[in-house]
């Protein structure tokens, strides 16, 4: 009856004039310079559906690709190259080391050098990409060696709904092939399996020396400290220079403001330097010096007397086997452990001296003004009158700089020594693991930056959303449709690590230099311990933001992964294999989601979250998600729906992935869209299946990701199998296998 109305579709395929005119008439936000710069080549379709009240709703779908597909990987590769070059220099700056550590250092330098060479070659090839190939990587190219860092089939999907009784609503989702390294393949599993070696196995990868061993947590902490002190040192130096300039201009207010910033940064520096890992690493570095070996050898030779004495023997590395200890950090009498405490304490004391001097000068200035007021003398202090501010602060600021420089140099050497062991372990495992992790992270980063940009552009005028963004960050929920069977296990293991590594990034919103597309593209900088993504906004939009965001406050995303295999291979995995990997990933993400919501309610108890026609609260949805995970139900797609619903209610970022972001992804996205139309916009229930069929037939080819590098001028209608066929039961599959074997045996006979 209403089928003709349901399928009343207006095709706007690559017709930019018609698409932009229609879009602008509905809402001008998508025509902004920001959207045009980051999301390009839009493909649009418009549907008209009937609601339960016999009114009409207008539904507009738009799919876009993005130049971030190639621009971010190229920037990441440059960051990796610069970081590895810096690591090589830091290792060389460690000075003389004992033979064992010297061998490790040589291996690690060779490891970094090979990575630099490989990444430079990849970067050269990526710079050759032009046109559509620079913003889209089709699934047929997923095994291309030089395209490892580029995500597969990355697109943004936006559904815009206009109803008579409600305001215009937008639903965004990023579709992308599961972040994984198809070039290296999955013969030995994915990243989770390759990295998940017990510490005892890692110890065996590197010859034991004095039983000094740093865990992966300590190595991660060392990266954080190294990144922190490296970033804080130039900030402190710049603020110190600004303080002197304010003192020279005799501006007490500016001096106080600058001093407050300087004190904050210096306190952050001291907090990082006080870490016990730095102190213990300095001691370990001391005993890795050749002089320590000689002195220790002499001490043993002096005290080894009596008939039972045996000469010192050396092992294959030229090390004295009798020098090994049971304790992880053996003490040595010639090393003063309190020396490091004095070094970082000098930084704090230098800052205290500057604060005390400013207070003294301020009081003196106040007394002068009081005397001047009492005597009604209008003579004011002028630049011609030599101000004591600059003269008194200059030597103190110089002392602070020297103390900070000394502390940073020592901390950098100590943390480089800690990372030397971890880098040696990576070198022993081979270049493949490091390369693989970098490539998978690059793919995941591209997807989440596209989602973040979409969310920011949509919420620049939403004050509750911006407050939530500042205080607790955003949830980035990855929906995986990978099976736990065959190669897709390795893909899921890659994806788990890639999504988890997104915790290392922060976002900052900046003011764009101009409204040219190149100036509005997000950029990435930093190192593996922590990357920063800057999202520029036009000046007019930037000035609408709260002061905290304009001051460059770092914004965090909380990446989550929920995966439910839905294809025939998952039936095999659940029947004959193991789905524990999927269960562990989902359970951990659920706990992280509950923790995020708890933090959100604790910090912002009065925050207004997006409303829903459903009577269920976020607490109810979290409870249902918990119960659904405990059911251990096969192909429990309810988990995905609940996780997606919670993400939308928390203003989160939605991303959907399968092997190549084609059939399974398109089935999931269209089902989600039609369910939203029914649940939130009162789509006529009798028309649900017809609307779903219409969107899959007319829009499925648009979303399937099979367009290749050259998009067609018309989108062919594609037939998609029903969900029931994709979710075939294990019993039917077993029957099919038995019948197939019977047929094969009959043909063979």
């Amino acid at each position: 009856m209403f089928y003709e109305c349901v399928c009343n579709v207006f095709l706007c395929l690559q017709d930019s004039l018609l698409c932009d005119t229609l879009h602008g008439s509905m809402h001008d936000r998508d025509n902004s310079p920001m959207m045009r710069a980051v999301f390009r080549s839009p493909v649009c379709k418009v549907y008209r559906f009937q609601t339960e009240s016999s009114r009409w709703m207008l539904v507009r779908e738009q799919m876009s690709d993005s130049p971030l597909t190639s621009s971010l990987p190229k920037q990441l590769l440059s960051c990796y190259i610069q970081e590895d070059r810096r690591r090589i220099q830091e290792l060389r700056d460690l000075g003389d080391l004992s033979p064992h550590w010297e061998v490790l250092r040589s291996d690690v330098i060779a490891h970094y050098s090979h990575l630099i060479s490989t990444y430079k070659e990849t970067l050269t090839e990526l710079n050759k990409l032009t046109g559509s190939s620079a913003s889209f990587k089709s699934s047929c190219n997923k095994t291309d060696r030089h395209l490892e860092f580029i995500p597969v089939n990355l697109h943004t999907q936006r559904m815009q709904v206009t109803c008579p009784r409600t305001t215009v609503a937008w639903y965004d989702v990023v579709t992308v092939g599961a972040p994984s390294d198809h070039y290296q393949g999955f013969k030995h599993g994915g990243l989770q399996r390759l990295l998940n070696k017990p510490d005892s196995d890692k110890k065996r990868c590197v010859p034991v020396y004095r039983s000094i061993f740093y865990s992966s947590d300590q190595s991660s902490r060392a990266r954080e400290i190294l990144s922190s002190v490296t970033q804080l040192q130039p900030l402190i130096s710049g603020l110190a220079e600004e303080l002197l300039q304010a003192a020279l201009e005799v501006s007490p207010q500016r001096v106080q403001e600058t001093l407050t910033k300087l004190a904050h940064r210096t306190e952050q520096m001291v907090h990082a330097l006080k870490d016990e890992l730095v102190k213990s690493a300095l001691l370990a570095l001391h005993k890795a010096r050749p002089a320590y070996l000689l002195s220790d050898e002499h001490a043993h030779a002096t005290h080894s007397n009596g008939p039972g004495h045996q000469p010192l023997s050396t092992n294959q590395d030229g090390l004295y086997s009798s020098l090994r200890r049971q304790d992880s950090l053996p003490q040595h009498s010639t090393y003063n452990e309190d020396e490091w405490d004095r070094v970082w304490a000098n930084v704090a004391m230098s800052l205290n001296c500057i604060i005390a001097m400013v207070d003294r000068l301020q009081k003196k200035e106040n007394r002068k003004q009081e005397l001047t007021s009492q005597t009604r003398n209008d003579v004011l202090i002028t630049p011609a009158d030599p101000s004591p501010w600059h003269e008194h602060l200059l030597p103190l600021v110089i002392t602070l700089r020297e103390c900070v420089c000394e502390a940073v140099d020592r901390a950098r050497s100590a943390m480089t020594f800690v990372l030397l062991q971890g880098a040696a372990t990576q070198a022993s495992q081979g270049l493949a693991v490091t390369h693989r992790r970098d490539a998978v992270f690059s793919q995941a980063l591209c997807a989440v930056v596209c989602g973040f940009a979409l969310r920011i552009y949509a919420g620049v005028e939403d004050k509750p959303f911006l407050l939530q963004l500042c205080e607790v960050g955003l949830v980035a929920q990855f929906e995986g449709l990978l099976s736990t069977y065959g190669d897709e296990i390795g893909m899921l293991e890659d994806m788990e690590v890639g999504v988890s590594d997104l915790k290392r990034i922060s976002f900052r919103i900046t003011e764009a230099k101009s409204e040219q597309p190149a100036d509005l593209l997000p950029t990435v900088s930093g190192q593996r311990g922590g990357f920063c993504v800057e999202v520029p906004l036009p000046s007019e939009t930037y000035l609408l933001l709260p002061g905290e965001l304009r001051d460059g406050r770092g914004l965090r995303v909380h990446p989550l992964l929920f995966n439910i295999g839905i294809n025939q291979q998952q039936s095999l995995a659940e029947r004959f294999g193991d789905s524990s990997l999927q269960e562990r990933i989902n359970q951990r993400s659920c706990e992280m989601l509950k923790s995020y919501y708890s933090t959100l309610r604790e910090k912002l108890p009065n925050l207004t979250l997006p409303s829903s026609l459903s009577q269920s609260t976020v607490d109810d949805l979290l409870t249902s998600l918990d119960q659904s995970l405990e059911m251990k139900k096969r192909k429990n797609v309810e988990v995905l729906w609940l996780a997606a619903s919670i993400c939308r209610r928390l203003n989160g970022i939605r991303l959907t992935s399968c092997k190549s972001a084609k059939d399974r992804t398109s089935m999931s996205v269209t089902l989600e869209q039609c369910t939203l139309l029914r649940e939130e916009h009162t789509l006529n229930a009798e028309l649900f299946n017809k609307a779903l069929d219409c969107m899959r037939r007319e829009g499925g080819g648009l979303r399937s990701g099979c367009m290749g590098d050259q998009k067609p001028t018309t989108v062919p209608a594609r037939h998609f199998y029903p969900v029931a066929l994709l979710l075939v039961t294990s019993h039917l599959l077993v029957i099919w296998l038995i019948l197939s074997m019977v047929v094969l045996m009959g043909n063979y006979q």
Side-chain angles (χ1 to χ4, degrees):
M1 177 179 180
F2 295 101
Y3 186 76
E4 294 80 10
C5 297
V6 172
C7 295
N8 187 359
V9 182
F10 302 92
L11 302 182
C12 310
L13 305 176
Q14 288 193 333
D15 187 346
S16 60
L17 179 60
L18 177 58
C19 179
D20 291 345
T21 302
L22 177 60
H23 202 176
S25 64
M26 298 179 72
H27 202 279
D28 292 333
R29 176 162 54 183
D30 286 354
N31 284 321
S32 66
M34 302 176 294
M35 293 292 292
R36 290 180 178 274
V38 180
F39 306 108
R40 300 177 183 175
S41 305
V43 181
C44 312
K45 285 198 173 185
V46 178
Y47 308 86
R48 189 176 61 164
F49 299 129
Q50 196 170 35
T51 65
E52 292 179 348
S53 60
S54 299
R55 305 289 295 274
W56 294 102
M57 73 169 73
L58 197 63
V59 180
R60 180 180 184 277
E61 284 187 294
Q62 175 173 306
M63 183 194 73
S64 305
D65 52 30
S66 174
L68 299 179
T69 296
S70 60
S71 67
L72 288 179
K74 288 190 287 188
Q75 294 174 45
L76 263 182
L77 284 167
S78 298
C79 291
Y80 290 146
I81 292 171
Q82 294 174 7
E83 178 185 356
D84 291 343
R85 284 174 174 169
R86 188 168 57 251
R87 291 284 180 265
I88 290 176
Q89 188 58 47
E90 289 172 351
L91 288 170
R92 289 172 176 166
D93 291 342
L94 285 178
D96 294 334
L97 296 175
S98 60
H100 168 81
W101 293 105
E102 187 62 48
V103 170
L104 291 186
R105 176 164 61 179
S106 299
D107 292 343
V108 172
I109 289 177
H111 173 84
Y112 284 141
S113 299
H114 193 281
L115 279 179
I116 291 173
S117 175
T118 303
Y119 289 173
K120 287 175 67 176
E121 179 184 354
T122 302
L123 183 59
T124 300
E125 293 298 323
L126 292 184
N127 285 329
K128 297 178 182 178
L129 298 178
T130 58
S132 60
S133 60
S135 59
F136 178 76
K137 172 185 171 182
S138 61
S139 59
C140 60
N141 294 325
K142 61 177 176 285
T143 58
D144 192 312
R145 172 191 168 194
H146 296 119
L147 301 180
E148 279 180 287
F149 289 77
I150 296 181
V152 177
N153 281 336
L154 175 62
H155 292 101
T156 59
Q157 311 276 354
R158 166 164 287 185
M159 181 176 72
Q160 184 174 350
V161 184
T162 304
C163 291
R165 295 184 179 179
T166 60
T167 59
V168 179
W170 289 267
Y171 300 96
D172 296 327
V173 61
V174 177
T175 59
V176 62
S180 52
D181 194 335
H182 292 273
Y183 170 72
Q184 293 192 30
F186 310 97
K187 181 178 180 181
H188 302 290
L191 278 172
Q192 182 61 33
R193 196 183 316 175
L194 296 173
L195 295 172
N196 192 24
K197 287 187 176 182
D199 287 346
S200 57
D201 293 343
K202 292 181 180 180
K203 287 182 180 180
R204 287 194 292 270
C205 292
V206 181
V208 181
Y209 177 63
R210 298 202 194 307
S211 300
I212 301 175
F213 178 74
Y214 295 102
S215 66
S216 57
D217 291 339
Q218 289 175 313
S219 297
S220 299
R221 180 58 184 156
R223 292 189 188 93
E224 293 176 3
I225 295 174
L226 190 59
S227 175
S228 178
V229 298
T230 302
Q231 293 175 5
L232 287 173
Q233 185 180 13
L235 292 176
I236 292 175
S237 179
L239 288 171
E241 184 65 31
E242 186 178 343
L243 180 67
L244 291 177
Q245 183 63 32
L248 189 62
E249 297 173 358
V250 196
S251 176
Q253 182 179 357
R254 185 181 169 196
V255 167
Q256 287 291 349
E257 293 175 354
T258 307
L259 182 59
T260 301
K261 297 178 183 179
L262 178 62
H264 175 65
R265 295 300 185 183
T266 307
E267 288 170 1
Q268 288 181 323
M269 171 74 77
V270 172
H271 179 73
L273 297 176
K274 288 170 61 177
D275 197 295
E276 284 297 322
L277 180 61
V278 182
K279 185 175 181 179
S280 63
L282 284 170
L283 178 60
L285 178 59
H286 168 75
K287 64 187 181 113
R289 302 293 187 190
Y292 175 83
L293 281 179
L294 295 176
S295 62
D296 209 11
E297 174 190 356
H298 178 72
H300 277 72
T302 303
H303 292 88
S304 299
N305 297 318
H309 170 64
Q310 297 180 355
L312 297 174
S313 59
T314 59
N315 58 17
Q316 60 181 355
D317 295 322
L319 302 176
Y320 295 98
S321 59
S322 63
L323 296 179
R324 300 175 187 263
R325 302 287 195 275
Q326 293 298 325
D327 54 328
S328 63
L329 289 174
Q331 305 296 318
H332 193 269
S333 58
T334 61
Y335 183 77
N336 186 356
E337 296 184 51
D338 296 331
E339 182 181 358
W340 172 244
D341 292 334
R342 289 195 295 269
V343 171
W344 66 257
N346 285 340
V347 176
M349 292 175 62
S350 300
L351 174 65
N352 292 335
C353 291
I354 294 176
I355 295 175
M357 179 58 68
V358 171
D359 290 341
R360 191 179 305 118
L361 293 172
Q362 183 67 55
K363 291 178 181 178
K364 187 176 180 180
E365 187 71 20
N366 293 338
R367 285 197 299 268
K368 284 185 178 180
Q369 293 180 359
E370 291 176 0
L371 292 174
T372 302
S373 177
Q374 291 175 1
T375 58
R376 297 185 179 182
N377 188 351
D378 295 332
V379 178
L380 300 177
I381 297 177
T382 62
D385 181 14
S387 172
W389 289 70
H390 185 272
E391 297 177 2
H392 285 83
L393 289 177
L394 179 59
L396 298 179
V397 168
I398 292 176
T399 302
L400 175 64
R401 285 175 174 171
E402 293 175 349
C403 292
V404 168
C405 185
E406 180 185 5
V408 168
D409 288 344
R410 294 199 184 192
R412 184 181 288 119
S413 297
M415 296 302 95
T416 300
F417 183 75
V418 173
L419 296 176
L420 172 59
Q421 178 186 264
T425 303
Q426 293 178 359
S428 65
Q429 293 175 341
L431 297 168
V433 175
T434 304
H435 192 156
R436 189 186 196 101
R437 189 168 191 174
D438 289 344
V440 171
F441 174 76
S442 174
Q443 297 176 30
L445 178 69
C446 292
V448 81
V449 170
C450 284
F452 186 87
L454 271 176
R455 196 64 194 87
I456 286 295
Y457 298 162
V460 289
E461 299 178 3
D462 187 348
K463 293 184 179 180
F465 164 72
L466 296 176
L467 179 61
Q468 174 188 355
L469 180 62
C470 289
E471 295 298 326
V472 294
L474 293 182
V475 166
Q477 185 244 329
F478 284 78
E479 176 183 298
L481 303 170
L482 297 171
S483 68
T484 54
Y485 184 85
D487 285 350
E488 292 196 10
I489 297 180
M491 298 178 201
L492 185 57
E493 291 173 342
D494 275 357
M495 187 176 183
E496 180 186 7
V497 175
V499 171
S500 178
D501 284 347
L502 293 175
K503 292 183 292 187
R504 299 180 295 166
I505 67 174
S506 63
F507 289 85
R508 284 188 175 85
I509 300 179
T510 60
E511 184 176 6
K513 298 178 181 178
S514 68
E515 293 191 2
Q516 295 298 318
D519 293 330
L520 291 172
L521 287 177
T523 58
V524 61
S525 59
Q527 55 190 12
R528 292 179 178 90
F531 287 98
C532 178
V533 179
E534 293 187 350
V535 181
L537 298 180
S539 299
E540 183 179 353
T541 305
Y542 180 78
L543 295 176
L544 299 176
L545 297 176
E548 289 180 298
L549 293 179
R550 295 200 304 270
D551 290 340
R553 179 165 181 173
L555 309 173
R556 293 286 178 179
V557 294
H558 302 266
L560 306 173
L561 171 60
F562 288 91
N563 184 85
I564 296 293
I566 62 172
N567 62 356
Q568 296 93 330
Q569 289 185 333
Q570 185 61 26
S571 299
L572 290 175
E574 293 175 347
R575 188 74 176 180
F576 308 110
D578 181 18
S579 60
S580 59
L581 173 63
Q582 174 177 281
E583 294 172 2
R584 177 179 56 80
I585 290 174
N586 292 340
Q587 190 61 49
R588 188 180 67 172
S589 295
C590 180
E591 296 300 324
M592 294 171 62
L593 187 57
K594 289 190 291 185
S595 175
Y596 171 85
Y597 181 65
S598 176
T599 303
L600 176 64
R601 278 310 180 199
E602 179 182 346
K603 291 188 175 182
L604 301 171
N606 299 321
L607 181 69
T608 302
L609 294 173
S611 59
S612 172
L613 294 182
S614 171
Q615 299 298 321
S616 300
T617 64
V618 176
D619 295 281
D620 296 334
L621 293 174
L622 285 170
T623 302
S624 299
L625 179 60
D626 242 344
Q627 295 173 350
S628 185
L629 290 173
E630 292 175 358
M631 290 173 59
K632 309 293 184 183
K633 181 181 176 182
R634 294 181 180 179
K635 295 184 178 179
N636 191 2
V637 293
E638 183 185 11
V639 170
L640 300 180
W641 171 251
L642 289 171
S645 299
I646 296 171
C647 178
R648 284 191 296 269
R649 296 284 287 273
L650 297 179
N651 289 314
I653 303 168
R654 286 272 296 113
L655 306 101
T656 300
S657 297
C658 64
K659 180 180 179 179
S660 300
K662 294 191 295 186
D663 292 345
R664 278 173 280 178
T665 297
S666 65
M667 299 292 281
S668 174
V669 170
T670 50
L671 179 61
E672 179 182 1
Q673 288 178 340
C674 285
T675 304
L676 286 170
L677 293 178
R678 182 185 62 189
E679 300 294 334
E680 303 294 340
H681 301 281
T682 65
L683 172 69
N684 194 317
E686 297 179 357
L687 301 178
F688 177 84
N689 290 332
K690 292 182 178 180
L692 181 62
D693 180 68
C694 177
M695 295 183 76
R696 285 178 174 171
R697 185 181 65 253
E698 301 295 340
L702 173 149
R703 184 178 295 98
S704 67
C706 293
M707 295 178 292
D709 293 336
Q710 298 296 329
K711 297 181 181 178
T713 56
T714 60
V715 174
R718 296 187 61 202
H719 175 71
F720 285 98
Y721 294 102
V723 178
L725 185 57
L726 285 179
L727 304 180
V728 62
T729 65
S730 58
H731 298 288
L732 292 177
L733 184 61
V734 171
I735 294 174
W736 177 80
L737 289 174
I738 294 174
L739 292 176
S740 299
M741 292 177 62
V742 171
V743 173
L744 289 174
M745 291 177 64
N747 293 337
Y748 178 76
Q749 292 176 354

